[in-house]
Amino acid sequence: ENGIAYILGKPEEHIVRLTPVGLNMYNSIFHQRPAYEHIQRSKDGSCLLTFIATNRQITNYFFTFAQEAEIISPKETRIWMQNRYESASKSYNNCQ
């Protein structure tokens, strides 16, 4: 169920919204990719994917997607990602 890097975490349900670009990224980046349980496609090409995975696997995999992926739930994982992006943005703003 989990790769060796994620055996210590507790798998739980995560819902992730992907833009059309994000879905292309998901379909082409195989390294440590979590398998989705369910996909709900929208008319605009975006989709909601449901995963049963550890927080670490979800955050590790989707962090590089930036604005092409949005963690919908769980709320704690969503807030963690938001804080990481804000922290990174501040680092770049301080370089001027």
Side-chain angles (χ1 to χ4, degrees):
E1 183 173 280
N2 294 329
I4 193 70
Y6 306 111
I7 60 172
L8 296 179
K10 178 185 169 213
E12 60 183 304
E13 183 179 272
H14 292 81
I15 299 174
V16 179
R17 178 179 296 128
L18 296 178
T19 66
V21 171
L23 184 58
N24 285 338
M25 292 171 73
Y26 178 83
N27 287 329
S28 63
I29 302 171
F30 300 104
H31 182 67
Q32 298 186 346
R33 179 176 70 181
Y36 63 84
E37 299 285 320
H38 178 72
I39 185 169
Q40 179 182 347
R41 298 179 189 273
S42 298
K43 291 179 183 179
D44 66 0
S46 66
C47 58
L48 286 176
L49 290 96
T50 302
F51 299 92
I52 304 298
T54 64
N55 280 329
R56 185 172 179 190
Q57 184 174 17
I58 294 297
T59 57
N60 284 355
Y61 184 77
F62 287 109
F63 187 76
T64 60
F65 283 51
Q67 74 275 6
E68 307 304 337
E70 177 187 3
I71 307 298
I72 303 300
S73 68
K75 185 177 180 179
E76 297 80 17
T77 307
R78 179 182 175 87
I79 291 169
W80 187 90
M81 290 285 274
Q82 179 183 8
N83 290 338
R84 288 285 306 267
Y85 287 129
E86 287 174 356
S87 179
S89 178
K90 287 178 186 174
S91 294
Y92 283 94
N93 289 335
N94 292 332
C95 292
Q96 299 173 359

